[in-house]
Amino acid sequence: MTDSSSTNRKSNTRKKYDETSLSGTFVSVLIIAVFMLISWFSVFLLFLERN
Amino acid sequence: MHIHRYEKLWLIIGSLILLVFLAILAIQTFYLEMGPPSHAEMIDPQTVKESEIFADAGLKEIGDNEYEIAIVAEMFSFQPGDLEIPAGATVHFTLASPDVTHGFKITDTNVNVMVVPGHISKVSHTFDQPGEYLILCNEYCGLGHEYMANTITVN
Amino acid sequence: MTHITDIHTRHKGAAVNEDVAAGISKRDFHLSIANLSIAFIALLVGGAAGLLQGFVRSGFLELPSWISYYALLTAHGVLLVLVLSSFFSIGYLYAGTSRVLGGLADKTLAFGWAGFALMTAGTIIAAFFILAGDANVLYTFYTPMQAHPWFYIGLALLVVGILLNCIGMFITYQSWRKRNPGVLTPLFAFFSNAVFVLWVFASLFIAVFVVGMVIPWAFGWVPTIDPMMGRTLFWAFGHTLVNIWMLTSISAWYVSMPKIIGGKVFSDSLARVAVVILVVANVPGGFHHQILDPGLSVELKFLHVIQTFMIIFPSLMTAFAMLATMERSGRAKGVTSLLGWWKILPWSDARFFALIVAMLAYIPAGLGGIINASNQVNQVVHNSIWVTGHLHLTVGTTVMLTFFGISYWLIPYLSGRKLTRNLNRLGIAQTIIWACGMLLMSGAMHANGLLGSPRRTANTTYNGHSAASDWALYEMFMAMGGVILFVGILLLVYIWIQLAFFAPKGDTDFPIGEDYNPKDASPLFMDRWSIWVVLATLSIAIAYVIPLLDFASGHSPGSPPFLMP
């Protein structure tokens, strides 16, 4: 796995995440939450504008 | 059954977002009366055109720049035809179908309601912006469905 | 429910393991192969109809007089969302269940073949009348539009065939439980059973509607029909169908994806909880298709909106579980950076690539669904071509790409062949083509819908109205997307034919993931489907008793038929 070793090197200076970590998952779902808010409120604003 | 703390947190955040959406929708629906058109009144589709409401249909002024119109949505037209109103007018539409299910949609507005045979639909809108609005049927109603359209001109 | 009585029909254990090859009975394979074959034909014909529609709607093509745009639209809808999805689901779920439970019961095969025969006959009859132009009613066949009576007979046969398949699945599931007391059923079988339980709920509504109301009316035995009752019963079926595809798709995400990426199932118990919520809360979701209908009170509609929002919750769980599976798999391989695990996923494995693109498509698909169900906001998008765009993201991209990904292991598994490196590369190309085509087409549909362009409407300029002229650009993009997608279908059919008949012989595994943490097993009562069926019935009752009683006692004047030739 050349990929993982390169990520290892890169992240040496940063915090390391162990085998049971789910931090990446949490960050990823939060991005989904942001999309959820943006998409819903855009259509909601369109609704208000056309009312 | 073990739930990881991040998963708990995510489910709480996600649910809160959904609750915020629901709360906004509920406030608009129940306090600002902005709910979806939900009129409940029955009419025999076979006598729609002779009925009191729809027989002499036309634009009626019922108040200060406030109008009322009964529209028959049928294959493949809205009767009566094109409408003209002054800017700022509030129009109350009453709709029924003598044949199949139609949709009543005015572009650039939120006016969008199903016209199901057997039921009377009601929807209102205030036209602030002048222009020619397109009224179209947005529920497939047969082989001429794409011709079912009118305009409403706001001066 | 059927499976409760089936507990007593214990099948002979020996019969299951008879003529077992590679751990599984060859005769189970034939049933799956038969179902998948029909699914493939449906994809080809339904896809071709879709391509033509794109051309007509954008004005590039005028159809000959013997077939209308709406006949193509009906064929596209019925063949893809009804025929393709149900035949594929059955072929895949039967094969997977046979794999995890060690073979299907004798009676299951009998029910499966009888169901297959009825479904096939029903499909041929319905397709014939659609293409003959005698059923231009679209796949929702809203009454009082009326098609040729035999179109409805075809649909009824299809539904009865599906019900027989349900019984078949329950027999194998329950007999396995009987033979393995105190053991939790494998996760795949749990998913499979859930899908068929949902099928039973969906079928009951559509059977009451088609057999009880439409057929007597279509033959002229009763003069009128209540259109509102029809819409309500149809959507109780229609939206349940949506979650039948979804549940089938996510079974591959939860069970097979971990194995493919060299990881483990994140949490068996949470997966089962998500499945159970989907089954229990599902059916009332259908009401959000009727937010703009007359005759339903604002309060009732809001109750349905809340019930629809409940179905979003399991999707939140699924999003987390999928990402967690991938992160844990990366961590196990030594990734220590926050998001580095994304990089080492097996992107060059067509099976994974199709699934991950499907999952990514599910994000905008799901978000669009939340918007659709948002009560008054529904007025912005209802019956606009946005909804068509939404459907093409959900079933067209999320479900279809999952099915395509499944087929890259399911077909070679059934045909005893291998996915060669070349075919794997073609699979990746197919996924990219599909994603690009859908992005273009569905993106254009979403934008166009927000501008007000209606769905299900043939090419028209609305007398040269300026609003409609803005839509033309997007209709061109839709047609372009359609062309790309059709290339994708042709490539897929090539891959399938290769995998079925020409790829080199070999053993292909049906990937089944293991539990990350065996101690985290679900409690046994999760397998007691009577609990979930009762709860689901309760949630259906909360949603449907009031409106259905209302319509039934509302003295609806009724509608005579309007023939759609």
Side-chain angles (χ1 to χ4, degrees), chain C residues 115-428:
Chain C
F116 171 78
L118 284 186
M119 287 170 67
T120 307
T123 301
I124 292 169
I125 293 171
F128 173 79
F129 285 99
I130 293 168
L131 294 175
D134 288 329
N136 296 322
V137 290
L138 310 190
Y139 91 93
T140 44
F141 55 100
Y142 289 138
T143 54
M145 287 195 286
Q146 196 184 76
H148 194 285
W150 278 85
F151 166 75
Y152 303 114
I153 302 266
L155 291 184
L157 288 176
L158 183 60
V159 172
V160 174
I162 289 168
L163 276 172
L164 292 184
N165 275 294
C166 297
I167 297 173
M169 181 56 69
F170 300 150
I171 291 173
T172 288
Y173 186 82
Q174 294 300 342
S175 69
W176 189 90
R177 283 189 61 209
K178 195 85 182 161
R179 282 181 288 122
N180 297 274
V183 185
L184 205 62
T185 51
L187 185 57
F188 187 92
F190 190 81
F191 266 101
S192 180
N193 197 62
V195 171
F196 286 96
V197 168
L198 270 187
W199 262 123
V200 172
F201 281 120
S203 305
L204 291 179
F205 284 96
I206 201 73
V208 168
F209 178 44
V210 173
V211 180
M213 291 171 66
V214 178
I215 290 179
W217 169 75
F219 278 101
W221 303 328
V222 294
T224 62
I225 199 162
D226 180 355
M228 271 305 280
M229 190 77 122
R231 287 173 71 78
T232 309
L233 292 174
F234 179 85
W235 282 116
F237 158 79
H239 201 79
T240 306
L241 185 62
V242 168
N243 274 320
I244 285 168
W245 314 321
M246 272 319 296
L247 211 47
T248 306
S249 300
I250 65 175
S251 72
W253 303 0
Y254 272 104
V255 181
S256 297
M257 189 273 282
K259 181 80 175 177
I260 294 171
I261 67 169
K264 289 185 170 172
V265 175
F266 170 61
S267 166
D268 177 275
S269 54
L270 288 172
R272 285 177 209 250
V273 171
V275 170
V276 162
I277 299 176
L278 270 177
V279 171
V280 169
N282 192 296
V283 180
F287 262 115
H288 72 256
H289 294 256
Q290 294 178 270
I291 289 174
L292 304 185
D293 278 11
L296 297 162
S297 73
V298 179
E299 292 76 17
L300 201 62
K301 283 178 182 175
F302 207 83
L303 172 73
H304 297 144
V305 168
I306 294 170
Q307 286 194 299
T308 304
F309 268 55
M310 282 168 64
I311 319 176
I312 303 165
F313 190 79
S315 294
L316 300 179
M317 296 176 71
T318 301
F320 193 92
M322 293 306 107
L323 290 161
T325 306
M326 294 186 243
E327 177 166 8
R328 285 266 161 94
S329 146
R331 300 268 175 244
K333 289 171 189 156
V335 178
T336 52
S337 64
L338 181 62
L339 294 169
W341 46 272
W342 273 102
K343 285 191 216 150
I344 66 156
L345 290 169
W347 295 99
S348 56
D349 184 334
R351 298 171 303 168
F352 172 74
F353 189 61
L355 293 193
I356 186 79
V357 175
M359 290 177 205
L360 292 176
Y362 189 49
I363 298 170
L367 300 184
I370 300 177
I371 292 166
N372 296 342
S374 289
N375 210 33
Q376 61 269 33
V377 178
N378 180 258
Q379 290 170 106
V380 178
V381 294
H382 177 76
N383 271 357
S384 76
I385 201 157
W386 154 292
V387 176
T388 318
H390 170 70
L391 275 170
H392 282 86
L393 275 185
T394 50
V395 63
T397 314
T398 308
V399 173
M400 282 305 128
L401 272 181
T402 303
F403 284 4
F404 299 168
I406 290 170
S407 71
Y408 301 148
W409 75 75
L410 182 59
I411 300 175
Y413 169 73
L414 294 173
S415 66
R417 294 175 191 276
K418 292 211 83 81
L419 181 74
T420 60
R421 285 185 61 184
N422 244 337
L423 288 174
N424 183 62
R425 243 178 259 140
L426 287 180
I428 289 177

Side-chain angles (χ1 to χ4, degrees), chain B residues 80-101:
Chain B
D82 296 348
L83 304 173
E84 225 173 296
I85 50 162
T90 300
V91 185
H92 305 285
F93 300 92
T94 303
L95 297 127
S97 163
D99 42 54
V100 300
T101 302

Side-chain angles (χ1 to χ4, degrees), chain C residues 12-21 23-28 102-103 106:
Chain C
K12 299 158 264 13
V16 178
N17 296 318
E18 210 179 346
D19 71 310
V20 169
I24 214 77
S25 162
K26 279 285 172 206
R27 50 183 205 158
D28 295 0
D106 288 347

Side-chain angles (χ1 to χ4, degrees), chain C residues 79-144:
Chain C
L79 287 177
L80 295 186
V81 305
L82 207 55
V83 177
L84 165 64
S85 63
S86 40
F87 277 95
F88 191 96
S89 303
I90 290 168
Y92 157 68
L93 293 171
Y94 267 53
T97 307
S98 161
R99 157 87 164 75
V100 298
L101 295 187
L104 300 172
D106 288 347
K107 276 190 186 168
T108 299
L109 284 168
F111 274 106
W113 280 111
F116 171 78
L118 284 186
M119 287 170 67
T120 307
T123 301
I124 292 169
I125 293 171
F128 173 79
F129 285 99
I130 293 168
L131 294 175
D134 288 329
N136 296 322
V137 290
L138 310 190
Y139 91 93
T140 44
F141 55 100
Y142 289 138
T143 54

Side-chain angles (χ1 to χ4, degrees), chain B residues 27 56 88 93 131:
Chain B
I27 291 168
D56 58 337
F93 300 92

